[in-house]
Amino acid sequence: MIVREFRIPLPLTLEEYRIGQLYSVGEASKYETGGGEGVEIVINEPRIDGLYAPCQNTCKIIHVNSKVPAFIRALAPSGSLGIREESWNAYPFCITKYENPYMKDAFELEVKTLHKPGIGDIHNVHGLSEEEYSKVTVDEINIWDAPDPRDYNPAWDPRLVRSEKADRGPLEDANWKETTDPVMCVYKQVSVKFQWHGLQERTEKIIMKALRRLFFNFHRQVVCWQDDYHGMTIEDIREFEVKTKEELNQQFSSGVVKGMRVK
């Protein structure tokens, strides 16, 4: 098992990120869905009791056949590469778990997220024992950095994009977090276990690399899409999510495969 703590500083307030993250999840899903692959939303509802309540509970099926490495596709039976994602969003805390019915206990992926004000310098924010934390790799993601050329879109480049509504941006240089106000940080503790056909270490590293790429691209979008969600309320977001679910269902069954792929 690999455990990594990603720290993602952003030029937003905590409340702005709460709205922006939910909006951007919906928008980003549209770029990943089509041709029988992508995101299928099964549940999106408030939960007032039970695990992690009160929270917003979501369940999605992520169809990823062409988005996994070729050597895994060669070993896996047809139709076995769907990932079930369940999330409990009790902002500023959120936990998301992923499972694959075919692999069962051989595959575990869990993401625990905390959102805090500041530049991302809180030690052991998730409260592990010092022994546990000594085994965690800390990896800061700077949204200023250049993306994979396959992912680049100038409309998602915080070096170029300015939010007129928020009167903010573009970012000036790689050290932007030292001179920008506001600043908050997304802390993601990611645990990955993949035990299958002697491919554990190789595949865990591929999964972690893909997640880093996904977090990097997504948070650049959150910042660059500020003018789209600025001023929205949580009620506006819930209406947007209903419409997004309908759009994703239509996209899923038509068009071509879209989005990020892993070699």
Side-chain angles (χ1 to χ4, degrees):
M1 176 179 285
I2 298 177
V3 182
R4 185 167 297 179
E5 180 189 292
F6 293 100
R7 300 182 182 183
I8 314 165
L10 298 170
L12 301 167
T13 67
L14 288 179
E15 185 57 28
E16 286 171 338
Y17 183 79
R18 181 191 184 201
I19 298 297
Q21 184 263 344
L22 294 171
Y23 173 85
S24 300
V25 164
E27 281 298 300
S29 295
K30 298 174 188 177
Y31 287 96
E32 298 289 333
T33 302
E37 294 195 16
V39 180
E40 177 187 355
I41 300 172
V42 180
I43 296 172
N44 183 9
E45 60 189 18
R47 175 176 289 185
I48 59 173
D49 54 21
L51 192 64
Y52 310 116
C55 66
Q56 189 76 10
N57 178 220
T58 60
C59 179
K60 303 174 184 176
I61 306 298
I62 306 173
H63 302 269
V64 294
N65 187 62
S66 70
K67 301 175 188 295
V68 300
F71 71 89
I72 294 181
R73 294 200 302 271
L75 294 170
S78 177
S80 66
L81 294 175
I83 303 295
R84 182 180 184 274
E85 174 198 287
E86 187 161 13
S87 181
W88 297 265
N89 189 346
Y91 195 81
F93 171 74
C94 181
I95 182 167
T96 305
K97 298 183 180 183
Y98 300 83
E99 61 183 33
N100 175 266
Y102 173 70
M103 294 191 64
K104 300 180 181 179
D105 292 341
F107 171 72
E108 294 179 7
L109 173 56
E110 180 180 88
V111 182
K112 291 182 178 179
T113 307
L114 275 170
H115 308 85
K116 297 285 187 179
I119 62 174
D121 55 359
I122 301 176
H123 174 75
N124 192 13
V125 71
H126 292 280
L128 302 179
S129 70
E130 286 303 318
E131 180 180 358
E132 290 173 321
Y133 195 64
S134 67
K135 301 174 184 177
V136 176
T137 300
V138 175
D139 183 354
E140 180 171 316
I141 294 176
N142 189 344
I143 62 170
W144 165 269
D145 293 340
D148 185 308
R150 294 170 293 173
D151 301 330
Y152 183 72
N153 183 330
W156 305 341
D157 189 344
R159 302 184 189 189
L160 304 176
V161 175
R162 172 176 174 76
S163 169
E164 297 298 334
K165 292 181 180 179
D167 190 23
R168 186 179 301 161
L171 300 182
E172 294 184 355
D173 56 43
N175 297 317
W176 63 267
K177 71 176 185 178
E178 306 295 339
T179 57
T180 299
D181 182 56
V183 181
M184 52 86 61
C185 186
V186 180
Y187 296 83
K188 289 186 175 290
Q189 179 184 295
V190 181
S191 306
V192 177
K193 182 184 80 172
F194 188 98
Q195 296 177 327
W196 197 33
H197 300 299
L199 299 172
Q200 179 171 356
E201 183 176 357
R202 178 184 180 186
T203 307
E204 287 177 350
K205 288 180 179 179
I206 288 173
I207 292 171
M208 198 66 80
K209 183 178 180 180
L211 287 172
R212 189 188 198 281
R213 181 179 164 197
L214 179 66
F215 295 154
F216 174 75
N217 291 334
F218 175 76
H219 286 91
R220 284 164 63 90
Q221 292 170 331
V222 172
V223 170
C224 292
W225 286 341
Q226 284 181 80
D227 277 353
D228 295 334
Y229 61 78
H230 186 83
M232 291 181 74
T233 65
I234 195 66
E235 290 77 19
D236 295 330
I237 287 293
R238 297 306 174 212
E239 291 181 12
F240 168 77
E241 289 173 337
V242 171
K243 294 178 182 177
T244 298
K245 180 179 179 179
E246 295 172 354
E247 290 181 40
L248 290 176
N249 288 341
Q250 293 175 355
Q251 284 185 211
F252 181 80
S253 58
S254 63
V256 297
V257 174
K258 299 179 181 180
M260 192 180 85
R261 303 192 187 190
V262 179
K263 292 182 179 179

